[in-house]
Amino acid sequence: MVSRLEEIIENTAKVFPHNKAIEDYEGNAIDYSSLETNIKRVSNNFQNIGIKPSQSVSFILSKNVDSILCLLAVLHSECNYIPIDELSPPKRQISVIVESRCTAFLFRESCVDPQLLESLPTARVHKNFLGDISLAFFNWENYSDDFASKNLATILFTSGSTGIPKGVCLKHENMLPFIRWSKNITNLTEQSRVISIAPLHFDLSVYDIFSTLMSGGCVYLLPAKEAKNPMLISMLLEKWSITHIYTTPTMLKLIIQYGKVEKYNQTHLKNIIFAGEQMPVETLQNVINTWPDGNYFNFYGPTETNVITHYQVDTSLPIENPIPIGIECPYAKCKILIDNVLYFVEPHRSGELVACGESMFDQYKNASSEHVFYLDETGNKWYKTGDSVEINGNGQIIYKGRLNRMVKRHGYRVELDEIAKAMSTLDDVSDAAVIFADEKLVAFYTDSNFNISEIEIRKHLGDLLPVYMIPDKFVKILELPKSSNHKIDYQKLNSLLDE
């Protein structure tokens, strides 16, 4: 049994050496035997120019064969990889690099702002390290990496309430239980063809890349911009004879609405997995009507734990409303936290979902993790998801909503306070608050000089935040409502929308 992610390729190459492993949007492809050989070659090149085990290597790369090759070579070098959103504004990309204190940085010049490296303590740059991919080394003065470990596989940065992205540290031992389990439950085999829509900084990509490669199947890569085009995705489902898709309910809805699915032969698609946000009943019914011979899976779990519950839809029965997030995965344990007391998952209980198990992270790279754990009487740590749930009569977990200021939008985690803090960096915005209502981000703000426009605010936020964090609506008010303890009254803000 493999104990590290890079061993997945070594094992699969022995069994299916000539199976196609990866194909990208440009038509480049590589089989398992060649993939293994090239991983070792690139890993040797890493070591020859100074990359050492336990170091962190970040990258801003569009998804293609070479970028996945680099990712796997980083792991083979006993380092950890840090994927950065290529569509995020440069200031946010720089923030992730600074917070990660990575040793090296892989990039394509076409994907990064020319000023990015000038804003960082760049020591040296190896241009065209692999094709059009260059490699930069950083020199962080007076920095000692207390997180250095050969066991660390990746650091995935998510939205942070302080205004600074948080780095979730995941070890090989955290990721492998999900990879093994998901491969089996979703029927991945050496015949499988999986379309990779999720960007590499999004945890859904773990399934696309590693679960597929463990099975001996082929992963088909879509770059970030193309992955937003539902009509293109619909066409590629036929062109690539895709058997598996793992994406958000929003994307499935867009494919059905705008993908002209009736034009294409998509009968190969037999496994539809969705996660990242709540699946509406109407959308699921449309998914089943569109691909009637499929298996349908609802996966649930935050980045800190990966998937911890699952629900397989039984199409012989009416669709449950709301659709359950299901039962715990075999490597995870779930309980309900009520008034600071843990209870077993039993019918008709409701409270905050907490979890522990093999897939759970230990710490953040750049922030304290103490507040996200509940310690039981034996000293075991339970991750507090911040999700309100209830248990139905069948013992299945039902997602009810959020208990804190973090929401999910298009599958991405969004800390509402991070948006408000970004707005407050504008000189003319004296106060700001953001709520999530009817699946939309609504920003309230006070304008100290009465002269700032919505266009100016949008432009400012566009320089700091990814597009999925830009509010849908801006509301200027004279003063933010406050509670008796002088905190922002978010309930009052919600009521203002109805006036």
Side-chain angles (χ1 to χ4, degrees):
M1 183 180 290
V2 300
S3 59
R4 298 179 58 85
L5 298 184
E6 66 269 18
E7 294 171 5
I8 291 173
I9 311 303
E10 297 169 13
N11 277 20
T12 308
K14 292 176 184 176
V15 183
F16 304 110
H18 304 302
N19 275 20
K20 183 163 59 177
I22 305 169
E23 182 172 329
D24 62 29
Y25 182 63
E26 291 80 21
N28 304 303
I30 191 169
D31 65 23
Y32 280 94
S33 177
S34 299
L35 180 61
E36 181 186 26
T37 299
N38 280 280
I39 288 170
K40 292 177 179 178
R41 175 179 61 83
V42 176
S43 177
N44 286 334
N45 291 343
F46 278 145
Q47 295 167 39
N48 290 337
I49 60 175
I51 290 181
K52 299 175 182 177
S54 302
Q55 292 179 333
S56 296
V57 181
S58 65
F59 59 82
I60 298 176
L61 299 171
S62 57
K63 271 196 303 186
N64 65 8
V65 170
D66 281 349
S67 58
I68 302 302
L69 175 59
C70 283
L71 184 159
L72 296 170
V74 167
L75 292 169
H76 191 272
S77 303
E78 298 183 320
C79 296
N80 60 84
Y81 71 93
I82 304 173
I84 301 174
D85 184 2
E86 64 178 292
L87 300 182
S88 279
K91 288 182 180 178
R92 188 174 181 85
Q93 294 172 339
I94 291 169
S95 176
V96 171
I97 292 172
V98 170
E99 291 300 314
S100 75
R101 296 297 197 276
C102 54
T103 300
F105 169 56
L106 290 158
F107 65 98
R108 287 189 177 91
E109 291 188 2
S110 60
C111 294
V112 300
D113 186 277
Q115 306 301 314
L116 186 141
L117 291 181
E118 295 178 13
S119 305
L120 294 162
T122 306
R124 66 182 192 274
V125 177
H126 296 262
K127 290 203 169 187
N128 305 119
F129 168 77
L130 178 66
D132 62 347
I133 297 175
S134 298
L135 177 64
F137 281 84
F138 299 128
N139 181 21
W140 306 101
E141 291 186 6
N142 304 316
Y143 175 69
S144 175
D145 191 355
D146 298 329
F147 291 81
S149 169
K150 293 180 181 180
N151 295 325
L152 186 60
T154 188
I155 305 175
L156 300 178
F157 277 82
T158 67
S159 180
S161 59
T162 62
I164 298 173
K166 290 189 302 187
V168 180
C169 297
L170 296 172
K171 300 176 182 176
H172 292 263
E173 63 198 57
N174 302 140
M175 300 171 71
L176 281 167
F178 165 74
I179 292 167
R180 295 190 190 99
W181 169 83
S182 62
K183 165 187 169 291
N184 293 328
I185 199 169
T186 64
N187 314 299
L188 282 170
T189 71
E190 72 277 9
Q191 302 294 324
S192 297
R193 295 175 292 277
V194 180
I195 188 168
S196 177
I197 296 172
L200 295 174
H201 66 275
F202 192 8
D203 52 8
L204 270 65
S205 66
V206 171
Y207 173 89
D208 296 341
I209 306 302
F210 296 105
S211 301
T212 304
L213 296 180
M214 181 176 276
S215 74
C218 181
V219 56
Y220 291 82
L221 305 173
L222 262 185
K225 291 180 180 178
E226 285 75 11
K228 296 180 181 296
N229 184 338
M231 187 175 293
L232 175 63
I233 293 171
S234 186
M235 182 271 289
L236 292 173
L237 292 177
E238 176 186 77
K239 178 182 177 181
W240 287 337
S241 300
I242 295 299
T243 62
H244 290 66
I245 185 171
Y246 184 29
T247 188
T248 62
T250 296
M251 179 50 72
L252 291 173
K253 180 179 178 179
L254 291 172
I255 293 170
I256 293 169
Q257 282 185 331
Y258 303 109
K260 298 184 178 180
V261 293
E262 68 280 355
K263 288 179 55 179
Y264 303 106
N265 178 6
Q266 299 172 350
T267 54
H268 291 89
L269 185 58
K270 301 296 185 185
N271 294 276
I272 297 98
I273 310 115
F274 44 91
E277 59 189 351
Q278 197 163 15
M279 168 64 89
V281 171
E282 181 182 0
T283 300
L284 178 57
Q285 188 61 67
N286 289 336
V287 167
I288 294 171
N289 293 341
T290 303
W291 301 291
D293 299 322
N295 300 301
Y296 315 93
F297 302 90
N298 189 13
F299 283 3
Y300 163 87
T303 303
E304 285 85 347
T305 65
N306 209 315
V307 174
I308 50 174
T309 74
H310 65 103
Y311 173 73
Q312 184 167 0
V313 180
D314 186 345
T315 54
S316 68
L317 300 173
I319 295 176
E320 295 189 58
N321 188 11
I323 298 160
I325 58 173
I327 58 174
E328 62 190 20
C329 298
Y331 49 81
K333 295 294 180 187
C334 294
K335 287 190 177 183
I336 308 298
L337 186 63
I338 307 172
D339 295 330
N340 215 37
V341 177
L342 285 182
Y343 293 88
F344 288 106
V345 173
E346 295 176 342
H348 313 302
R349 281 218 168 103
S350 62
E352 181 179 6
L353 184 64
V354 297
C356 71
E358 297 173 74
S359 65
M360 187 176 71
F361 88 129
D362 288 326
Q363 57 196 1
Y364 297 108
K365 169 72 175 183
N366 59 330
S368 171
S369 60
E370 291 182 12
H371 66 288
V372 302
F373 290 116
Y374 174 88
L375 286 179
D376 65 20
E377 64 278 3
T378 64
N380 290 327
K381 293 197 301 185
W382 296 77
Y383 177 73
K384 297 188 292 184
T385 65
D387 288 334
S388 173
V389 300
E390 68 178 14
I391 314 305
N392 67 15
N394 297 321
Q396 297 166 330
I397 302 169
I398 306 292
Y399 173 82
K400 301 295 291 182
R402 291 294 301 167
L403 293 170
N404 56 30
R405 301 270 302 144
M406 189 275 282
V407 300
K408 283 289 191 79
R409 192 181 194 214
H410 307 321
Y412 292 100
R413 281 167 42 159
V414 175
E415 288 281 2
L416 301 179
D417 292 340
E418 183 178 359
I419 304 172
K421 283 182 171 64
M423 290 181 65
S424 297
T425 59
L426 267 169
D427 290 339
D428 289 328
V429 173
S430 52
D431 213 351
V434 181
I435 63 173
F436 193 57
D438 297 325
E439 300 299 312
K440 295 185 182 298
L441 293 170
V442 183
F444 294 84
Y445 68 98
T446 58
D447 181 354
S448 55
N449 295 316
F450 301 99
N451 63 359
I452 192 167
S453 68
E454 179 178 323
I455 293 174
E456 290 176 280
I457 298 175
R458 286 187 178 277
K459 183 179 184 304
H460 178 73
L461 293 181
D463 290 336
L464 299 175
L465 302 173
V467 66
Y468 58 84
M469 292 180 70
I470 306 298
D472 302 284
K473 183 178 181 180
F474 292 86
V475 180
K476 183 190 296 187
I477 55 178
L478 291 175
E479 186 179 11
L480 292 181
K482 301 291 176 68
S483 63
S484 58
N485 60 359
H486 307 293
K487 293 185 177 181
I488 295 172
D489 189 336
Y490 293 104
Q491 288 186 335
K492 178 63 175 174
L493 289 176
N494 269 292
S495 68
L496 291 177
L497 293 178
D498 300 324
E499 295 179 358

